Amino acid sequence: MEGTDEFSKYRSPLVSRYASKEMAFNFSDRKKFSTWRKLWIYLAKAEKVLGLPITDAQIQEMEAHADNIDFSMAAEEERKLRHDVMAHVHTFAHCCPTAAPIIHLGATSCYVGDNTDLIMLRDGFDILLPKLARVIDRLANFAEKYADLPTLGFTHYQPAQLTTVGKRACLWLQDLAMDMRNLQRARDDLRFRGVKGTTGTQASFLQLFQGDHDKVEELDRMVTEMAGFKKAYLVTGQTYSRKVDVDCLSTLASLGASVHKICTDIRLLANLKEIEEPFEKEQIGSSAMPYKRNPMRAERCCSLARHLVALMADPLQTASVQWLERTLDDSANRRISLPESFLTADIILSTLQNITEGLVVYPKVIERHIRHELPFMATENIIMAMVQAGGNRQDCHEKIRVLSQEAAAVVKQEGGDNDLLARVQRDPYFAPILGQLDALLDPRTFIGRAPQQVTRFLSEEVRPLLEPFKAKMDVKIELEL
């Protein structure tokens, strides 16, 4: 049976389940249409300063009703007019009868539509950047804490030479640092569309100012400045180039790829019981298996990151099919792809901050895994020690090869522990170096310069990146699970 309440129609889980209030508001109708009204006020103010017959009373009336939006009237007007901008012009004019004749004077729909989109993109980046900075900060603290804790490295997801828990975290950090620089650049590269008219030629404004090119340029500059932008695009069609959307969303898709890789690593390590994401006291991992501690936060990040990466196809295709000065087949697509990209990025950063603030490391499990594999990795060290004690390298190599194969058979065919070390200790051939075995098998001698790399990377590349966001570092994330 159909109902009329909010639960009787589809709601995007991006907003109903996950997104932060600030990002949900950034793409809300209230933010959008109140920004339209601000843009009409900016335009009227600049036109008045430059000599058009607009009164202070008209501007004051517009300012008094900037946030007084009758959404029901606007919806009714749009049903009649089939045009969203003109519906809101009429709705604004209804509560501003004195200013009605000069609202939207000389402008086209894209004056409010495109400029508002650019404001939302800019403000969206301003929401994301501190969140990304906090994730980097939490992960940098984690890397510093575990900079010298040896752990098995993996290539092809097979045990490889040792690294450290902190050094592995720096691989994640390096990707996120690239994302930080990319997001900041995309944000700073944004310009305002400004006042450009129906096909970008500013013809309507040139007519309003009776052929005075300087006044048209000054109008563009003034409105751009009032909207908080340093520059406007010098050339546009009816819209700003949809390549701008490609540039913005590509940085978010790239962030999605980084987060997917990080959270996949965390899920793999959780399976090994080496690292776990935070787990609440009363949290249930499985309805059927009460002992399970599933990495559901990391899984959520991976799930949403895939959506974020997939959204990249929309602006690419939209930019490629814009004919000449503009076609309207961009509109419906952008209503979905732009907000969803920022909402999704917002969610995965909030979730990843929560993960990185509470990552749990199990050093004893890590140590056990190292002990299981290290004897094989130490064979080269054993050979070199035997040569230094007067042995023949080729003879020693053959001895080690045979013992390693025997130990591998115990592990793989019998399910036993790696007993290579015991076999070496029992073989009289290796008597000259038995006293050195503990030192030769110390995991700390297998991690190379990992701790030093962590220290230098954090001090030279990570910490300086966070300086502009110092004041916003203390925000904690409490997830509603």
Side-chain angles (χ1 to χ4, degrees):
M1 179 178 174
E2 289 186 13
T4 56
D5 61 17
E6 62 176 314
F7 300 105
S8 302
K9 58 186 178 183
Y10 175 76
R11 298 181 302 160
S12 169
L14 289 176
V15 174
S16 65
R17 282 182 71 90
Y18 302 128
S20 66
K21 290 178 182 177
E22 64 264 32
M23 191 62 84
F25 175 74
N26 188 53
F27 290 98
S28 67
D29 282 351
R30 186 166 299 281
K31 164 84 176 268
K32 175 180 178 179
F33 296 125
S34 64
T35 303
W36 284 13
R37 292 190 175 189
K38 288 175 185 174
L39 288 166
W40 283 321
I41 293 168
Y42 299 157
L43 182 63
K45 282 183 172 181
E47 287 175 336
K48 176 183 180 296
V49 169
L50 293 170
L52 294 189
I54 295 171
T55 67
D56 288 336
Q58 287 173 314
I59 290 173
Q60 288 165 6
E61 184 180 54
M62 293 167 73
E63 288 179 327
H65 293 90
D67 296 316
N68 177 26
I69 302 173
D70 188 334
F71 288 99
S72 298
M73 177 183 287
E76 182 58 35
E77 287 290 330
E78 187 170 356
R79 273 191 291 273
K80 290 190 298 186
L81 303 174
R82 311 304 296 173
H83 196 289
D84 58 349
V85 174
M86 287 311 299
H88 277 269
V89 169
H90 287 198
T91 303
F92 197 18
H94 179 77
C95 59
C96 300
T98 305
I102 57 94
I103 294 173
H104 200 62
L105 182 60
T108 186
S109 298
C110 284
Y111 168 69
V112 289
D114 270 32
N115 282 323
T116 294
D117 286 344
L118 288 162
I119 289 169
M120 287 177 165
L121 293 177
R122 178 197 66 193
D123 294 352
F125 279 125
D126 287 343
I127 294 169
L128 292 179
L129 282 163
K131 293 191 173 190
L132 178 53
R134 287 196 292 271
V135 170
I136 291 173
D137 175 71
R138 294 349 180 226
L139 206 47
N141 294 339
F142 177 85
E144 189 171 39
K145 181 177 180 180
Y146 295 104
D148 57 0
L149 179 62
T151 188
L152 277 179
F154 288 91
T155 58
H156 314 272
Y157 200 44
Q158 302 299 313
Q161 281 195 340
L162 301 192
T163 181
T164 69
V165 172
K167 170 62 191 297
R168 178 178 286 143
C170 285
L171 300 181
W172 303 338
L173 277 166
Q174 187 170 50
D175 290 350
L176 293 176
M178 290 174 65
D179 293 318
M180 171 70 88
R181 289 189 289 269
N182 288 339
L183 263 67
Q184 189 69 61
R185 182 206 52 76
R187 186 251 185 252
D188 293 344
D189 280 355
L190 282 173
R191 298 189 189 186
F192 206 49
R193 177 191 173 274
V195 289
K196 296 297 193 295
T198 54
T199 58
T201 65
Q202 299 176 306
S204 58
F205 296 104
L206 192 63
Q207 185 176 356
L208 277 175
F209 290 105
Q210 300 179 338
D212 191 328
H213 291 267
D214 291 339
K215 284 190 174 181
V216 175
E217 288 210 359
E218 181 63 9
L219 177 73
D220 206 356
R221 188 200 65 77
M222 289 176 68
V223 171
T224 297
E225 186 178 288
M226 282 189 268
F229 284 80
K230 294 178 181 177
K231 289 183 178 180
Y233 296 107
L234 295 180
V235 294
T236 70
Q238 186 172 93
T239 68
Y240 68 79
S241 170
R242 295 311 184 217
K243 287 276 284 184
V244 175
D245 296 344
V246 172
D247 192 30
C248 292
L249 268 59
S250 66
T251 66
L252 301 185
S254 183
L255 171 65
S258 300
V259 173
H260 200 295
K261 184 265 190 292
I262 293 167
C263 289
T264 300
D265 284 356
I266 292 171
R267 291 163 65 191
L268 292 169
L269 294 168
N271 173 260
L272 298 174
K273 297 180 174 59
E274 292 190 355
I275 288 180
E276 283 183 345
E277 65 178 38
F279 200 86
E280 310 299 334
K281 263 185 187 176
E282 298 180 12
Q283 183 177 331
I284 295 174
S286 167
S287 61
M289 295 165 280
Y291 58 87
K292 291 194 78 179
R293 292 179 60 137
N294 298 331
M296 52 81 64
R297 292 170 173 86
E299 290 174 309
R300 177 191 295 178
C301 283
C302 288
S303 183
L304 290 169
R306 285 201 304 275
H307 180 58
L308 183 54
V309 171
L311 283 168
M312 184 64 239
D314 279 336
L316 284 169
Q317 294 190 55
T318 296
S320 71
V321 298
Q322 286 297 286
W323 301 349
L324 305 173
E325 277 63 51
R326 179 284 158 94
T327 50
L328 193 60
D329 58 343
D330 64 341
S331 179
N333 186 290
R334 294 174 72 253
R335 288 175 192 263
I336 299 167
S337 60
L338 297 187
E340 285 203 356
S341 291
F342 278 84
L343 287 164
T344 306
D346 176 72
I347 297 159
I348 62 177
L349 285 177
S350 295
T351 309
L352 188 55
Q353 181 183 334
N354 180 263
I355 292 171
T356 53
E357 284 178 346
L359 276 176
V360 182
V361 177
Y362 295 105
K364 294 297 182 183
V365 177
I366 293 172
E367 186 182 332
R368 186 173 75 242
H369 290 158
I370 290 174
R371 281 202 311 269
H372 189 71
E373 299 291 341
L374 194 58
F376 291 141
M377 297 178 191
T379 53
E380 184 64 24
N381 288 13
I382 293 172
I383 292 171
M384 297 306 295
M386 279 297 298
V387 171
Q388 288 171 347
N392 179 286
R393 193 247 175 220
Q394 313 317 327
D395 294 341
C396 186
H397 184 279
E398 179 60 18
K399 284 275 189 183
I400 286 288
R401 186 190 69 80
V402 172
L403 295 179
S404 295
Q405 295 293 339
E406 292 171 355
V410 170
V411 172
K412 295 177 180 178
Q413 295 172 22
E414 300 174 19
D417 291 332
N418 187 338
D419 65 354
L420 176 58
L421 186 56
R423 291 174 185 274
V424 169
Q425 290 170 327
R426 288 196 302 266
D427 192 319
Y429 177 82
F430 294 100
I433 63 162
L434 288 184
Q436 302 178 46
L437 282 181
D438 285 345
L440 292 173
L441 289 161
D442 182 351
R444 290 171 297 180
T445 66
F446 289 81
I447 59 175
R449 299 190 64 255
Q452 291 76 21
Q453 289 178 348
V454 171
T455 300
R456 184 178 178 190
F457 175 64
L458 294 180
S459 65
E460 292 186 17
E461 296 197 22
V462 177
R463 299 299 185 193
L465 206 57
L466 304 179
E467 279 295 319
F469 304 96
K470 265 188 171 181
K472 298 182 179 180
M473 278 298 166
D474 291 337
V475 179
K476 291 270 186 181
I477 295 293
E478 295 294 336
L479 290 185
E480 294 181 15
L481 299 174

